[in-house]
């Protein structure tokens, strides 16, 4: 992790400073009123290529096209024969007007290339992509996996180009959905980080900020590409996906063992996390969730929190080590080679997720329980991730977005609508592999150590941990981040 | 994996050939009648040092001392101030007669040094150990972790010494217990592999064979140090420890969900695997277990087998990739650095293992069920490991011992006596970390994909897989291996 050299200047947008837990960070707010500045931000860029039509590719291509309204051309590039050509055409891109074409031809014809194909495809194709780039082009990434892969291989980005990243802190589906809400509610969107890895043109910062504002990010904060991939890969393996999956599996089983029906257990575990907890934390922060509880509930919350926090802290540290040592990226590459022989099975056939399908059918969000035990476990694991990122020196904007806001504003609402199993089965291969690897670890550690500690009263209530929760600087950070985006309906239909 | 260059000659022992699944392997049988040959095998060696008093160190030091009966001196070397000095003294080693001393002094005074300290200690101390070795000394290892670690670091064994390995295919406790049984039943013991990594003296093979015969190995087969650590680290993460733990957790839950009491569920999962299944497979092989079942039971076995085999195959392939890429060894080193801050919790407090403690108390081994579903799952995962090792080119002796015999003759009887949780909580740090990492993966995959496939009848009975089980060459291999060791009581009190 190296964020020591952060700092940027912009003459196109308005840089502001916010102070998060005593750290000053320069940020740029977004909003539709800034779209007129985009041509200046993209000065020297006649054509932006969006390569790939996955969740990020399709969302970003449409948002940028709509934001730029023809002032800079946005062209989608796809693999020859890709099944996504039809979907891109349906979204208004076409070969006829030159806004849709074969990937390498589009790369060679564009001044700025946003490489939004899967990690496996990036690993397989990056040398050909690099070779196809124009001299002086700008290469854009939406997360740092390729840097991690290059580090492993001892490879480098080509000299003579700009390399930047804009990393929305949410799924592609949310990037598009909240952007569309922005028509009514100016500033609605998914926050993004940006990073400048190489700046040969001297215009890298403006281009990155233009890209982020064009996507509809309520606010954009700075990071490095390495800091981004460390926190991004760790976060999706921990509280954002793997962790939350393991948490709800362990809680569902616990509630079933204590006599709840399948539906009740599902309401108190999965529905509670993806519904009321996420919704309250999104608007009122973790401390707001805590304040909703009465004294008896706070006691239960505290016990669950004190038992779960060490599990979250230990496992997030382990994941972080695995990511930063390169193990996790090597695992993803190795798994990719096995997929032809061993395709990933779906998890949604397991008994719990079938019960969940039934439970979701007649769900009334207004009557979902706010279970204090579930809240304590979820917040404990989440705080374990927050404290890991603080210990590793990440900027607070990255910590808050990668540990809390991405969960409550993007992923959890999606899981609420479709189910956690659906989410795990349908996210990116890198995230899916990570979730399948780490969810069982969270489940086992919670079941083997955290819950017995609560039930024995042996660990009793570690009041020092609860006190640290109450006084944690993250609450003030979340309050400030909350002011930087409008409160919109985050629910997914 | 490179076993292409296997082959050895001995003028001290009697080399025999066995043919396993069409592959000819040279082996050496053991037995107490061969102890008289040990001084010839150790020609040029006046003193053998056993460094460390863990399970392997304490067993091997005592077995060698008893086998050599003073004809070559066996000296135990321990870390200054080690708490194990008392235990070594109680076993008859003493500073007074020069058979016990400080580690580095003992190394420097010995001709042959068996390095049996923990993997973490080997990683931390190997440079000092190498420096303390006499020129021309013989360094002995009991598994290949140090080679894996050197590979990671770009390090090498010192020039000018012999480097050999003798790797008992069982826990230290079994190495000692079965050796003692050998007094009554000549040839009882734990099979071992041997490897010659460096042979500067021209005597490396004889010394390795002498060491193995001195430990009481019924038969000794050849491998390479790299083949050994690939199969050893993979095996303990898969069926030997991590796999069996995940299997019984998933089965216990399944049986509970289907209405069994805690005790019944424990009998049909844990007790069944570590008791009747292991005992039958030890004596009659996997096919003998199958033949015990009546037609209706074979149908159940077949369904469970056909559903579990793909899980075993997929996960053992993944583990093998993680081990051979170096990821797993890096993970162990990284975990070692975290242990001070995050000590490993015990798993024996979880509800299932508490129930098991109660269940074990009034267990009557004569009435334990041979559950055909449990047998099918266990054999399926085990065969997944066997087929992985075959695909990777390991010699059949290594495959049979590392996948089946070590489980049935050493580890499972121990788990039967003390509980699986006790075993996981008390094995080597490397094995323990591996088990905690992989057991949950086996559990999740069985629960998410294998059991739903059985219950839906969707996968129905894959008769081709069951037919392949019936015709598998491993059965003949196990029959031949069975003839190479006497049938002794493997039960642990």
């Amino acid at each position: 992790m190296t964020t020591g050299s952060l700092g940027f200047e912009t003459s196109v947008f308005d840089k502001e400073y916010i102070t998060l837990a005593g750290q000053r960070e320069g940020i740029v707010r977004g909003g539709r009123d800034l779209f007129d500045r985009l041509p200046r931000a993209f000065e020297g860029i006649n054509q932006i290529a969006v390569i790939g039509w996955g969740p990020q590719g399709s969302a970003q291509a449409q948002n940028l096209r709509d934001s730029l309204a023809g002032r800079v051309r946005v062209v989608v590039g796809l693999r020859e024969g890709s099944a996504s050509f039809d979907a891109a055409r349906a979204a208004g891109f076409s070969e006829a007007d030159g806004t849709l074409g074969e990937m390498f031809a589009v790369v060679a014809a564009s001044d700025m290339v946003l490489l939004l194909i899967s990690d496996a495809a990036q690993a397989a194709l990056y040398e050909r992509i690099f070779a196809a780039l124009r001299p002086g082009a700008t290469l854009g990434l939406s997360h740092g996996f390729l840097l991690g892969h290059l580090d492993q291989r001892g490879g480098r980005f080509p000299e003579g180009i700009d390399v930047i990243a804009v990393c929305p802190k949410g799924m592609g589906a949310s990037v598009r959905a909240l952007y569309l809400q922005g028509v009514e509610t100016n500033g609605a969107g998914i926050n993004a980080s940006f990073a400048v890895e190489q700046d040969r043109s001297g215009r890298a910062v403006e281009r990155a900020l233009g890209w982020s504002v064009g996507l509809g990010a309520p606010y954009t904060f700075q990071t490095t590409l390495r800091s981004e991939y460390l926190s991004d890969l760790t976060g999706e393996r921990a509280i954002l996906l793997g962790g939350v999956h393991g948490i709800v599996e362990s809680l569902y089983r616990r509630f079933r063992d204590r006599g709840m029906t399948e539906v009740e257990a599902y309401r108190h575990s999965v529905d509670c996390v993806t519904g009321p907890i996420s919704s309250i934390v999104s608007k009122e922060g973790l401390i707001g969730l805590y304040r909703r509880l009465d004294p008896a509930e706070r006691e239960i919350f505290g016990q669950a929190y004190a038992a779960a926090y060490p599990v979250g802290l230990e496992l997030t540290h382990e994941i972080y080590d695995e990511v930063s040592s390169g193990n996790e990226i090597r695992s993803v590459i190795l798994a990719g080679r096995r997929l032809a022989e061993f395709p990933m099975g779906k998890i949604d056939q397991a008994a719990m997720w079938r019960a969940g399908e039934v439970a979701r059918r007649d769900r009334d969000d207004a009557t979902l329980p706010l279970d204090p035990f579930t809240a304590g476990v979820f917040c404990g694991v989440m705080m374990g991730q927050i404290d890991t990122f603080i210990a590793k020196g990440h900027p607070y904007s990255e910590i808050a977005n990668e540990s809390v806001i991405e969960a409550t504003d993007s992923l959890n609402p999606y899981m609420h609508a479709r189910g956690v199993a659906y989410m795990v089965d349908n996210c990116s291969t890198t995230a899916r592999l990570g979730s399948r690897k780490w969810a069982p670890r969270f489940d086992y550690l919670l079941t083997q150590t955290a819950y017995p500690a609560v039930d024995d009263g042996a660990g009793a209530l570690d009041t020092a941990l609860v006190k640290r929760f109450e006084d944690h600087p993250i609450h003030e950070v979340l309050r400030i981040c909350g002011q930087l985006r409008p409160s919109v309906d985050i629910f997914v239909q």
Side-chain angles (χ1 to χ4, degrees), chain A:
Chain A
M1 245 295 306
T2 51
T3 51
S5 59
L6 293 186
F8 67 94
E9 295 304 327
T10 170
S11 62
V12 176
F13 299 100
D14 305 315
K15 182 179 171 187
E16 293 175 45
Y17 285 101
I18 56 175
T19 300
L20 301 177
Q23 291 179 6
R24 213 163 83 121
E25 291 186 29
I27 60 138
V28 167
R29 287 187 203 243
R32 292 184 170 244
D33 50 304
L34 302 175
F35 290 174
D36 280 344
R37 305 189 193 178
L38 295 179
R40 269 214 292 144
F42 291 124
E43 201 179 287
I45 306 281
N46 293 310
Q47 178 166 309
I48 297 174
V50 175
I51 307 300
W53 194 261
Q56 284 295 337
S58 58
Q60 294 196 25
Q62 295 176 80
N63 288 12
L64 284 176
R65 178 197 56 194
D66 296 351
S67 298
L68 286 162
R71 291 168 293 185
V72 176
R73 191 149 80 148
V74 176
V75 180
V76 172
L78 301 176
R79 183 170 44 76
E80 184 85 53
S82 161
S84 297
F85 270 97
D86 281 345
R89 280 184 207 112
F93 296 91
S94 81
E95 291 97 328
D97 68 5
T99 56
L100 178 62
E102 188 278 328
M103 174 189 302
F104 292 103
V106 170
V107 169
S110 301
D111 310 299
M112 181 161 165
V113 174
L114 312 186
L115 191 63
L116 304 182
I117 54 180
S118 73
D119 293 335
Q122 289 190 33
L125 298 177
Y126 75 92
E127 283 162 317
R128 290 178 60 198
I129 302 274
F130 287 177
L133 286 168
R134 295 181 168 192
T138 296
L139 175 66
L141 304 168
S142 274
H143 81 127
F145 181 91
L146 185 56
L147 174 65
H149 185 60
L150 290 173
D151 283 348
Q152 288 315 309
R153 312 258 309 216
R156 315 193 64 165
F157 290 108
E159 287 299 315
I161 63 165
D162 287 3
V163 181
I164 61 177
V166 167
C167 310
K169 297 294 139 187
M171 308 163 58
S174 312
V175 169
R176 182 62 180 163
L178 270 69
Y179 177 87
L180 291 174
Q181 286 194 51
V183 178
E184 317 253 291
T185 311
N186 188 26
I190 293 291
N191 296 328
S193 62
F194 85 96
V196 173
E197 182 72 12
Q198 281 184 191
D199 184 4
R200 299 292 177 258
S201 69
R203 306 275 315 154
V205 168
E206 306 293 11
R207 286 167 186 172
L209 293 174
W211 175 10
S212 188
V213 168
L215 292 182
Y219 92 98
T220 305
F221 59 91
Q222 193 182 14
T223 186
T224 64
L225 204 51
R226 180 162 167 80
S227 176
E228 198 287 327
Y229 88 74
L230 290 175
S231 57
D232 181 71
L233 287 179
T234 300
E236 76 192 11
R237 278 148 178 74
I239 195 62
L240 296 185
L241 194 59
V244 75
H245 178 202
I247 287 171
V248 297
E249 289 255 3
S250 69
L251 286 172
Y252 176 82
R253 208 164 54 241
R254 177 178 173 85
F255 292 142
R256 288 284 287 145
D257 287 349
R258 303 188 147 221
M260 283 191 194
T261 65
E262 290 188 335
V263 170
E264 283 171 335
Y266 197 84
R267 296 268 182 269
H268 280 260
S269 57
V270 187
D271 280 344
C272 174
V273 166
T274 59
I277 290 176
S278 295
S279 165
I280 294 167
V281 172
S282 172
K283 296 185 177 65
E284 302 163 28
L286 292 165
I287 198 69
L289 178 67
Y290 186 64
R291 290 199 185 116
R292 293 260 190 141
L293 306 175
D294 66 30
E297 290 171 331
R298 283 193 193 180
E299 180 78 14
I300 296 171
F301 173 97
Q303 288 179 330
Y305 177 89
Y309 171 81
V311 169
L313 189 71
E314 175 183 343
L315 275 175
T316 313
H317 266 79
E318 177 173 344
I319 296 169
Y320 199 96
D321 274 358
E322 291 294 298
V323 171
S324 62
S325 69
N327 278 355
E328 201 69 21
I329 285 183
R330 266 186 301 273
S331 285
V332 168
I333 303 290
L334 290 166
R337 292 185 197 141
R338 286 192 309 272
L339 281 179
E341 192 180 353
F342 303 108
M344 270 190 277
K346 300 224 162 197
I347 71 172
D348 64 0
Q349 292 310 299
M352 167 178 173
W353 299 113
R354 289 189 182 181
E357 217 173 301
V358 176
R360 275 202 310 284
R361 235 173 265 153
D362 64 346
R363 185 174 63 195
D364 174 7
D365 278 321
T367 63
L368 287 180
L370 174 56
D371 187 291
F373 190 87
T374 296
V377 172
F378 181 74
C379 291
V381 173
M382 185 173 262
M383 196 66 93
Q385 175 169 320
I386 290 167
D387 280 345
T388 302
F389 286 171
I390 292 173
K392 302 294 183 181
H394 288 262
Y396 266 98
S397 276
E398 192 163 57
I399 295 169
N401 277 280
E402 199 69 68
S403 305
V404 184
I405 301 170
E406 181 163 354
T408 59
D409 284 26
S410 174
L411 302 173
N412 290 357
Y414 194 82
M415 296 186 212
H416 198 59
R418 307 268 193 281
V420 176
Y422 181 89
M423 177 84 193
V424 172
D425 283 342
N426 291 280
C427 57
S428 79
T429 301
T430 304
R432 197 173 162 196
L433 287 167
S435 179
R436 294 164 70 92
K437 182 169 174 179
W438 295 99
R441 298 288 310 282
F442 281 94
D443 183 342
Y444 262 49
L445 269 197
L446 288 169
T447 302
Q448 291 166 347
T449 66
Y451 302 158
V454 172
D455 297 338
D456 290 351
L461 179 53
D462 186 340
T463 47
L465 278 179
V466 179
K467 183 79 175 61
R468 273 187 51 210
F469 170 81
E470 291 173 352
D471 298 340
H472 202 287
I474 196 68
H475 304 310
E476 175 66 4
V477 170
L478 289 173
R479 193 186 62 76
I480 295 170
C481 292
Q483 293 170 341
L484 293 169
R485 67 192 201 283
S487 188
V488 294
D489 180 12
I490 56 174
F491 276 86
V492 174
Q493 298 307 318

